[in-house]
Amino acid sequence: MAPPAKPASTPKRKPFTPRPPRPAEERLPKLYRALTDQVDDGYFENAIKTCKKILAVDASSQTAFQTLLFLHLQTDDYTSALSLLDHPSHEGSLDFERAYCLYRLHREKEALEVLKGLNEKGRKMDHLEAQILYRLGEYSQAQEIYENMLANGDASSPEHADIVTNLSATTAHLEFDAHGYHSHLSTTISSTSQTPMNAADLENIVPSLPTGWSTGGLAATVEKKTAAVKAPEEKNKRSRPRHKLPKGAVAGNEFTEDPERWIPLRQRLSYITAQSKKKGAKESMGTGFTQGSTGGHSAGSGAGGKNKKGKRK
């Protein structure tokens, strides 16, 4: 009797050991090359992820930090940019960028406080301060800053057109506050009553519509123009059918659809009738005289006479 077979021993598996991470000297050059390509090609979302990877490997990288801040500003993510500015590892003062983020987040008072604390002054600081003052309703101070920038700036600079536009808007607000509002208010009061009115009475004043609004004048003109615009649109709507018409149908005429249109083609009565007519026509073509039966004999005799050879003499 053969000895019992020993059970096959299963090979022991080696314990899994994760691969050690590559050193930073090997990873950083590849990440920087990828970051350069992503920024050049405009893939800002991927570039933000790459910057975060670089900062995870080298937290003191000023290049990655400044690039990440630029990308947040470029993508209008001012909340992330502001939280990045709170990072304690960056070097240098970035208070202007902080003030700009606060301004874009509609936190104008905080942005103005940051600007006031700046030691350096420049045109970009003045421009941002004027915009903040304009939002806060300090039009006279904003106008003064814009006028100084316009007087000390170059007319060919790219910011010249923006300063002129902002200055005109600020001047318009100042004129309305100084003259336009009061003149309009005095006209309204004089047309209603001669006695002074308080704020509650002013809110009840509703301007009347122009004379002839309901009977003619401007209302009639607006109605005519509206009708002239609607007329071609309605005409086009009528001329174009909404859905494709079935075969044999004409727009505007009555059309009865085939009741057997849901039945397969070979089972329809119209198809069976047409096929039977075709079959009957083919059978009728075989009846009657055979082609060439009447003149076959004479033709053959004539042909035979011509082909006869003469006798030898």
Side-chain angles (χ1 to χ4, degrees), residues 23-24 35 46 52 58 60 64 70 87 104 106 121 154 173 201 221 229 233-234 237 242 263 273 277:
L35 178 61
N46 295 337
K52 292 180 179 179
D58 184 11
S60 61
F70 162 78
H87 200 274
R104 294 304 299 264
H106 297 279
K121 294 293 182 181
D154 187 7
H173 275 284
D201 295 333
T221 306
V229 171
E233 293 180 357
E234 293 178 356
K237 288 181 180 179
R242 186 174 181 181
I263 304 175
T273 306
K277 288 182 179 180

Side-chain angles (χ1 to χ4, degrees), residues 244-257:
K244 186 178 179 181
L245 297 176
K247 185 178 180 181
V250 180
N253 298 340
E254 294 184 1
F255 176 74
T256 304
E257 295 184 355

Side-chain angles (χ1 to χ4, degrees), residues 6-305:
K6 295 181 179 180
S9 60
T10 57
K12 294 183 179 180
R13 294 183 179 180
K14 295 181 179 180
F16 174 75
T17 55
R19 183 181 297 179
R22 290 179 295 176
E25 294 78 8
E26 184 181 350
R27 296 178 60 191
L28 286 176
K30 294 182 179 180
L31 290 173
Y32 278 117
R33 285 196 296 269
L35 178 61
T36 303
D37 295 338
Q38 289 165 356
V39 172
D40 292 341
D41 296 338
Y43 297 105
F44 294 151
E45 298 296 334
N46 295 337
I48 290 173
K49 297 178 182 178
T50 306
C51 285
K52 292 180 179 179
K53 290 180 181 179
I54 295 174
L55 291 174
V57 177
D58 184 11
S60 61
S61 175
Q62 296 299 314
T63 304
F65 177 83
Q66 294 176 1
T67 306
L68 183 59
L69 178 61
F70 162 78
L71 291 170
H72 283 319
L73 296 176
Q74 191 72 17
T75 55
D76 297 337
D77 191 1
Y78 302 107
T79 304
S80 300
L82 194 60
S83 62
L84 183 65
L85 290 171
D86 297 332
H87 200 274
S89 64
H90 68 272
E91 299 177 0
S93 176
L94 296 173
D95 289 337
F96 175 77
E97 286 77 6
R98 183 186 300 275
Y100 180 74
C101 291
L102 292 171
Y103 163 74
R104 294 304 299 264
L105 292 172
H106 297 279
R107 296 161 62 178
E108 290 83 6
K109 293 183 179 180
E110 298 178 36
L112 189 60
E113 291 178 1
V114 174
L115 279 180
K116 295 292 185 182
L118 289 176
N119 296 326
E120 58 176 347
K121 294 293 182 181
R123 293 184 66 84
K124 63 178 184 179
M125 288 78 169
D126 295 339
H127 201 167
L128 181 58
E129 183 180 359
Q131 288 179 320
I132 294 172
L133 292 172
Y134 178 84
R135 278 193 183 179
L136 294 174
E138 302 293 340
Y139 302 117
S140 57
Q141 299 180 29
Q143 184 183 26
E144 183 180 355
I145 295 175
Y146 282 133
E147 288 176 351
N148 292 335
M149 293 181 66
L150 200 61
N152 300 326
D154 187 7
S156 61
S157 62
E159 65 175 0
H160 181 77
D162 294 337
I163 295 173
V164 171
T165 303
N166 296 342
L167 180 60
S168 62
T170 307
T171 306
H173 275 284
L174 282 174
E175 290 180 354
F176 180 77
D177 289 345
H179 306 288
Y181 174 73
H182 294 289
S183 62
H184 180 73
L185 186 61
S186 61
T187 305
T188 306
I189 293 175
S190 61
S191 62
T192 54
S193 63
Q194 299 296 331
T195 58
M197 302 180 67
N198 53 20
D201 295 333
L202 286 175
E203 292 179 355
N204 295 327
I205 297 176
V206 179
S208 59
L209 295 173
T211 306
W213 172 267
S214 58
T215 57
L218 184 59
T221 306
V222 172
E223 187 177 357
K224 288 180 181 178
K225 290 184 178 180
T226 306
V229 171
K230 287 184 178 180
E233 293 180 357
E234 293 178 356
K235 186 177 180 181
N236 293 335
K237 288 181 180 179
R238 293 173 185 172
S239 60
R240 296 176 183 175
R242 186 174 181 181
H243 301 289
K244 186 178 179 181
L245 297 176
K247 185 178 180 181
V250 180
N253 298 340
E254 294 184 1
F255 176 74
T256 304
E257 295 184 355
D258 187 6
E260 297 181 349
R261 62 185 181 276
W262 309 113
I263 304 175
L265 178 63
R266 295 181 180 275
Q267 298 178 11
R268 298 180 190 177
L269 183 61
S270 57
Y271 179 81
I272 296 172
T273 306
Q275 292 298 322
S276 61
K277 288 182 179 180
K278 288 182 181 179
K279 188 176 180 181
K282 288 180 180 179
E283 291 177 355
S284 62
M285 287 177 63
T287 59
F289 295 100
T290 306
Q291 186 177 359
S293 59
T294 55
H297 180 70
S298 60
S301 60

